[in-house]
């Protein structure tokens, strides 16, 4: 059965009132730092029933300066920055090594909210990266042990064999180290909070880091 893409797109709506609640957001009451507001919004996204609120888009640049983006998982957020992890020799790892600057985007449709973060990226000490990996599931360790992320794959059978061996090792050695596994921290220079509004009077609050702290400003939607 053929489905016309344009007809399908026109049939879709965002922020279905049956599942989406657009809370009021008064930027005058926002805290002085973006981390405090992010923690509050993240907790509200979890409470609202967002299934994967910790997933985010990660944008980097390649050797030609062209953008690249993918979905990754947030590993933490504190005064040192927003954290995520990957293999240092993966595509995004190589891009970050050459150009250590990135952008993140969170989208929580049940609340009509977005959070955008961008800034320079640094790597955490190796022992912190391994501790982060070992705090996760056996499947996460097995995936890390499988390795070769972003390299060409000859066949699904080759992946199955490598994955099976990695799972066996992860179950046998739950503290196995993966030297290429790297924990990255993005230190935000800008953080923008977007709150959708039913009449399209969306609220956009941007924090910008300065030598004296954080400045805040509103943006037109």
């Amino acid at each position: 059965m053929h489905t016309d893409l344009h007809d399908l797109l026109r049939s879709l709506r965002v922020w279905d009132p049956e599942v989406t609640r657009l809370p009021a957001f008064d930027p005058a009451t926002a805290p002085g730092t973006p981390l405090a507001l992010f923690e509050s919004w993240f907790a509200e996204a979890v409470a609202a029933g967002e299934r994967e609120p910790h997933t985010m888009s990660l944008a980097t640049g390649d050797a030609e300066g062209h953008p690249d983006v993918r979905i990754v998982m947030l590993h933490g957020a504190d005064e040192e920055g927003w954290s995520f992890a990957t293999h240092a020799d993966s595509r995004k790892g190589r891009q970050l090594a050459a150009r250590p600057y990135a952008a993140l985007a969170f989208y929580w449709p049940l609340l009509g909210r977005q959070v955008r973060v961008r800034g320079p990226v640094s790597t955490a000490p190796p022992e912190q990266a391994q501790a982060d990996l070992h705090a996760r599931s056996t499947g996460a360790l097995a995936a890390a042990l499988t390795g070769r992320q972003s390299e060409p794959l000859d066949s699904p059978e080759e992946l199955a064999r490598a994955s099976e061996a990695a799972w066996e090792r992860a179950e046998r050695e739950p503290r196995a180290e993966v030297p290429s596994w790297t924990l990255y921290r993005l230190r935000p220079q800008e953080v923008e909070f977007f709150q959708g509004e039913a009449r399209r009077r969306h609220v956009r609050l941007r924090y910008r880091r300065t030598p004296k702290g954080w400045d805040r400003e509103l943006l037109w939607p």
Side-chain angles (χ1 to χ4, degrees):
M1 178 178 170
H2 175 72
T3 299
D4 182 84
L5 176 61
H6 293 92
D7 287 343
L8 183 58
L9 287 171
R10 284 191 290 269
S11 73
L12 299 175
R13 296 291 181 270
V14 297
W15 304 337
D16 183 343
E18 292 187 4
V19 297
T20 297
R21 176 181 63 87
L22 299 175
F25 173 47
D26 180 359
T29 66
T33 66
L35 178 60
L37 184 54
F38 178 82
E39 291 175 337
S40 174
W41 275 28
F42 187 85
E44 291 174 16
V46 173
E50 290 285 0
R51 297 300 297 272
E52 297 181 355
H54 57 318
T55 57
M56 59 189 184
S57 299
L58 166 65
T60 55
D62 65 14
E64 288 74 39
H66 299 152
D68 212 345
V69 66
R70 73 289 288 166
I71 304 297
V72 298
M73 187 175 73
L74 178 69
H75 285 223
D78 54 30
E79 296 300 332
E80 295 186 59
W82 272 250
S83 301
F84 57 93
T86 189
H87 291 281
D89 53 3
S90 69
R91 184 173 183 174
K92 53 187 171 294
R94 296 193 304 270
Q95 291 174 349
L96 287 168
R99 289 171 174 75
Y101 198 96
L104 309 173
F106 297 83
Y107 179 46
W108 299 318
L110 294 183
L111 296 172
R113 285 177 171 174
Q114 301 178 51
V115 180
R116 301 169 60 209
V117 188
R118 67 175 183 167
V121 177
S122 61
T123 58
E127 59 271 18
Q128 292 185 16
Q130 298 304 308
D132 174 80
L133 177 59
H134 296 146
R136 300 177 66 199
S137 66
T138 301
L141 177 58
L145 287 167
T146 302
R148 302 182 65 180
Q149 190 177 54
S150 304
E151 293 184 16
L153 175 66
D154 289 336
S155 69
E157 291 74 23
E158 182 184 20
L159 172 60
R161 289 191 296 270
S163 176
E164 190 63 31
W167 270 91
E168 291 177 0
R169 186 181 176 194
E171 291 170 342
R172 185 176 65 252
E173 301 176 47
R175 305 293 292 179
E177 294 198 355
V178 183
S180 63
W181 190 253
T182 304
L183 183 65
Y184 295 89
R185 291 197 177 100
L186 187 157
R187 185 174 186 267
Q189 291 181 331
E190 292 185 9
V191 185
E192 180 190 322
F193 295 84
F194 172 102
Q195 173 60 68
E197 198 271 341
R199 296 185 65 83
R200 304 302 191 263
R201 299 164 184 165
H202 313 312
V203 180
R204 294 177 62 189
L205 174 64
R206 179 169 64 184
Y207 290 77
R208 302 178 71 179
R209 189 188 295 274
T210 73
K212 296 182 179 180
W214 290 99
D215 281 347
R216 294 182 295 176
E217 62 182 347
L218 294 175
L219 303 175
W220 281 83

